[in-house]
Amino acid sequence: MPSAKVFPVMLTPFHGDRSIDYAALEKLIAWYEEKGVDGLFAVCQSSEMFFLSLEERVALAKFVKEHAHVPVVASGHIADALDGQAYELAAMADTGVDAVILLTNRFCGQFDGSDAWLAAFDKLLAKLPDVPLGLYECPYPYKWVLSDKELAYAASTGRFRFLKDTCCDARRIRGRLEILRGTGLELYNANTATLLDSVRAGAAGYSGVMANIHPELYKKLLAAPDAPGAELLQAQLTMCALIERQCYPVNAKYYLEGEGVPMTRICRTRDAHELTETYRSEMEQLRLLTADLNRRF
């Protein structure tokens, strides 16, 4: 069985005026690739896509696709109306990305039922160009966790290749993997605590926040999920992953500055000044721990 893969959810670097810093983005792409990632998820929540114009989202995906040497998937549909979403997704498909990712929370209201979701899902699919697609259980503005029925239906269309799973439930993931077996739709887990269990059950890999900090450690974990030290490495990565609750994505941008990526801490989603001296100290201690884990595993 081939090694599971790591697809970072990409950050968007900004200049002081909050315009996209493409020089820093090019350096960031190179950093991911130097760490051995297998692909890139551009224009996602970590990219601050809900705070980017359509023109910026399209330009961002196009730039990443043109400069990356690994497969690139991208989302970027944030409109409420299905016609608006279809327009956004067609524009994203025109960038040439390897798969266009649909957010599961865009099809109907938060408290609508599965029937409403499936009806809207069908309507949107009919409007989309014939390109590889994916699904993403994006937590913002609310999380729509797919039911088994919804997932099975999506897989049955034959159009989907990528699922960014955020259910964070090992038993549920194992059930999903049974549903997806043989369909061509691959599951990428966003949750570190359940990652080993999911990969051992057949998940395609990891696509989560912490690939912006130490993707090489996830590569090591996934390259040998049954190795004697795998459980210990996952346990330490799980504890490290709690840092994302601190001040993300400002903290990740701070970390990458220290890794030699010339990136400001400026974000559109939150104030960079929220990264206090204590938070910076925690990130520096995480850097030391990352170096130690790289030596030991």
Side-chain angles (χ1 to χ4, degrees):
M1 186 174 71
S3 294
K5 295 168 277 191
V6 174
F7 267 73
V9 283
M10 292 186 68
L11 303 174
T12 301
F14 295 111
H15 290 293
D17 64 358
R18 303 207 311 168
S19 61
I20 297 174
D21 183 346
Y22 285 100
L25 180 59
E26 186 172 1
K27 295 286 188 182
L28 178 59
I29 293 166
W31 181 85
Y32 288 130
E33 293 185 342
E34 286 164 9
K35 296 294 184 178
V37 305
D38 302 282
L40 295 169
F41 190 163
V43 197
C44 54
Q45 187 179 359
S46 286
S47 312
E48 305 180 68
M49 69 178 181
F50 287 92
F51 297 81
L52 300 171
S53 68
L54 176 59
E55 292 74 20
E56 288 174 320
R57 280 174 266 144
V58 169
L60 196 60
K62 189 168 187 265
F63 185 92
V64 175
K65 179 59 183 172
E66 288 174 348
H67 288 80
H69 301 91
V70 294
V72 176
V73 302
S75 185
H77 68 124
I78 66 175
D80 291 324
L82 292 181
D83 284 344
Q85 292 180 46
Y87 182 81
E88 292 170 331
L89 291 165
M92 198 57 65
D94 285 343
T95 67
V97 294
D98 296 276
V100 176
I101 312 299
L102 280 57
L103 307 189
T104 59
N105 61 21
R106 295 287 82 203
F107 306 130
C108 62
Q110 182 175 4
F111 302 107
D112 292 338
S114 188
D115 288 345
W117 190 94
L118 288 165
F121 179 75
D122 261 345
K123 286 179 184 177
L124 183 59
L125 276 192
K127 298 174 184 289
L128 298 183
D130 186 18
V131 297
L133 301 173
L135 292 164
Y136 170 23
E137 293 173 325
C138 181
Y140 182 88
Y142 60 87
K143 186 187 287 193
W144 185 286
V145 177
L146 293 165
S147 68
D148 288 351
K149 177 181 177 182
E150 292 157 2
L151 180 60
Y153 183 74
S156 74
T157 67
R159 300 192 63 181
F160 290 85
R161 297 290 176 266
F162 187 102
L163 168 64
K164 179 170 160 55
D165 181 298
T166 69
C167 76
C168 306
D169 183 320
R171 184 171 62 179
R172 188 168 195 163
I173 291 171
R174 288 194 295 273
R176 288 177 165 193
L177 290 168
E178 286 302 316
I179 292 170
L180 299 181
R181 202 172 304 281
T183 66
L185 175 50
E186 296 184 325
L187 185 150
Y188 288 83
N189 193 346
N191 175 250
T192 307
T194 57
L195 184 56
L196 264 186
D197 183 273
S198 66
V199 168
R200 289 168 177 170
Y206 175 71
S207 184
V209 162
M210 293 306 289
N212 288 304
I213 304 293
H214 39 217
E216 73 281 6
L217 290 174
Y218 284 87
K219 285 290 295 180
K220 290 180 180 185
L221 179 68
L222 298 186
D226 297 311
E231 298 283 354
L232 178 58
L233 178 55
Q234 175 177 266
Q236 295 189 74
L237 290 176
T238 297
M239 293 301 100
C240 290
L242 297 177
I243 204 82
E244 72 177 83
R245 302 178 184 179
Q246 182 214 74
C247 190
Y248 184 78
V250 179
N251 58 359
K253 292 184 176 185
Y254 170 84
Y255 189 94
L256 285 160
E257 276 185 276
E259 291 292 292
V261 180
M263 178 187 297
T264 72
R265 301 169 209 170
I266 293 170
C267 298
R268 293 187 186 178
T269 53
R270 61 194 311 168
D271 189 338
H273 293 99
E274 292 180 49
L275 192 73
T276 64
E277 183 177 348
T278 298
Y279 285 165
R280 292 196 296 274
S281 175
E282 290 171 358
M283 295 307 295
E284 291 304 330
Q285 291 175 59
L286 178 58
R287 197 186 309 279
L288 287 173
L289 181 55
T290 295
D292 180 63
L293 291 173
N294 271 309
R295 282 190 296 268
R296 291 195 287 118
F297 291 96

